[in-house]
Amino acid sequence: MRVICLGLALLAAALAGCATPHLDIAEPDERQRAEAEATLKHAQVDPARKTAAGQMVPTVNRVLRRVRLASHAVCTELKLPEERCKPMLEAKVLVHTKKKDINAFADDDDNVGVYGGLVHHMGTDAEIAGVLAHEFAHVMYGHVESKKINAIIGGLLLGGLAAVASAGSGGDGRQLVRDSTRLGWEFGAAAYSPEMEIEADRTAVYILHKAGLPLTAMQSALLRMSRAKAQRSSGTFAGTVGFLETHPSDNRRIAHLISAMEDVRAGKPLKPVDAK
């Protein structure tokens, strides 16, 4: 156990050195955090549209082109490499209509997947656009590749430490090495995902603005998912809300969205980490 604890501490330090944020994002202030708490507790969201499976693809396609063009414009304004901006226009967007979980994701090939459960539970096209913008931001910043590299580092480091410890004890530590490698992989894959989600959320607000859609759409989508997660905890919703798993706490995330919306309204651009 001591080896595992030491390994996790070393792994956290190693991954901290590998972290490569793209945006300079300040933490929300006290007022924004208080507003986020109030929003989570009291904000109302319209009922879910309960989109039927046969209408899910057309529903996503209604906003897809606007999100693509706006994402490419934001990527270009950030002066990111062309290989990061090109997928904004060319990435495949697949709607998995039979998947009932509330989730969306970007994959290793810079494509985006949307589960039917998410489309079913959203209340407006703009909310779906907000989720798409969030996933396009993950592609824009290469977040999937970064998490994959972190997972490899985690598996190698923790598995290696377990192998050294087993060799020193003279025992057969193959199971410990396998378990430690898997734990390191999982820890590495999750490392800094909250900060990546904050980057994607903030960028999604700017994409929504560029697309001429309501800035509040991403916040509304998150509120809707937060309520679904609470229903799942109480047993009234059988699916999972994968979009919120391994993500920042709801209140921190909403506070960052409030900060992003205020910056957009004030005309402040996204600030890359190397901006002077």
Side-chain angles (χ1 to χ4, degrees), residues 97-164:
T97 59
K98 295 182 179 180
K99 296 283 190 179
K100 298 186 182 300
D101 295 339
I102 302 176
N103 205 1
F105 60 91
D107 66 19
D108 293 351
D109 296 318
D110 288 341
N111 296 318
V112 171
V114 180
Y115 282 6
L118 186 141
V119 181
H120 181 81
H121 281 85
M122 291 297 104
T124 66
D125 285 359
E127 290 174 3
I128 294 172
V131 174
L132 288 173
H134 172 96
E135 297 305 333
F136 273 101
H138 279 315
V139 174
M140 185 187 303
Y141 297 130
H143 284 161
V144 175
E145 181 180 352
S146 296
K147 291 178 74 172
K148 195 173 185 180
I149 292 171
N150 283 348
I152 293 171
I153 293 172
L156 289 174
L157 180 56
L158 213 55
L161 285 172
V164 171

Side-chain angles (χ1 to χ4, degrees), residues 252-267:
R252 181 175 178 234
R253 204 166 175 187
I254 295 295
H256 271 286
L257 283 172
I258 290 170
S259 171
M261 288 187 284
E262 290 177 355
D263 284 353
V264 168
R265 291 174 183 130

Side-chain angles (χ1 to χ4, degrees), residues 15-221:
L15 293 176
C18 295
T20 54
H22 294 83
L23 300 179
D24 184 359
I25 304 175
E27 280 299 306
D29 59 31
E30 186 175 341
R31 176 190 58 77
Q32 291 164 338
R33 291 195 298 269
E35 184 175 337
E37 292 282 357
T39 298
L40 279 167
K41 290 179 180 178
H42 305 299
Q44 298 296 316
V45 292
D46 294 332
R49 291 189 298 191
K50 298 184 179 179
T51 304
Q55 293 300 313
M56 288 178 180
V57 172
T59 297
V60 171
N61 285 340
R62 278 201 298 268
V63 294
L64 179 55
R65 177 173 170 76
R66 292 172 74 177
V67 173
R68 283 190 185 280
L69 294 175
S71 298
H72 188 267
V74 169
C75 187
T76 302
E77 288 176 0
L78 286 169
K79 295 182 172 58
L80 293 177
E82 177 58 22
E83 62 266 23
R84 296 265 46 99
C85 296
K86 191 176 180 181
M88 304 300 102
L89 302 177
E90 299 181 355
K92 295 178 182 177
V93 176
L94 303 177
V95 183
H96 303 274
T97 59
K98 295 182 179 180
K99 296 283 190 179
K100 298 186 182 300
D101 295 339
I102 302 176
N103 205 1
F105 60 91
D107 66 19
D108 293 351
D109 296 318
D110 288 341
N111 296 318
V112 171
V114 180
Y115 282 6
L118 186 141
V119 181
H120 181 81
H121 281 85
M122 291 297 104
T124 66
D125 285 359
E127 290 174 3
I128 294 172
V131 174
L132 288 173
H134 172 96
E135 297 305 333
F136 273 101
H138 279 315
V139 174
M140 185 187 303
Y141 297 130
H143 284 161
V144 175
E145 181 180 352
S146 296
K147 291 178 74 172
K148 195 173 185 180
I149 292 171
N150 283 348
I152 293 171
I153 293 172
L156 289 174
L157 180 56
L158 213 55
L161 285 172
V164 171
S166 297
S169 66
D172 183 357
R174 284 177 291 183
Q175 186 61 48
L176 175 62
V177 171
R178 285 194 291 268
D179 291 344
S180 298
T181 300
R182 184 172 60 252
L183 178 61
W185 180 279
E186 293 172 353
F187 187 89
Y192 300 103
S193 61
E195 306 314 314
M196 293 176 186
E197 299 305 334
I198 293 295
E199 276 194 335
D201 281 350
R202 172 167 283 264
T203 304
V205 174
Y206 280 77
I207 292 171
L208 287 168
H209 175 64
K210 189 73 70 174
L213 293 164
L215 299 182
T216 55
M218 187 65 201
Q219 176 178 281
S220 297

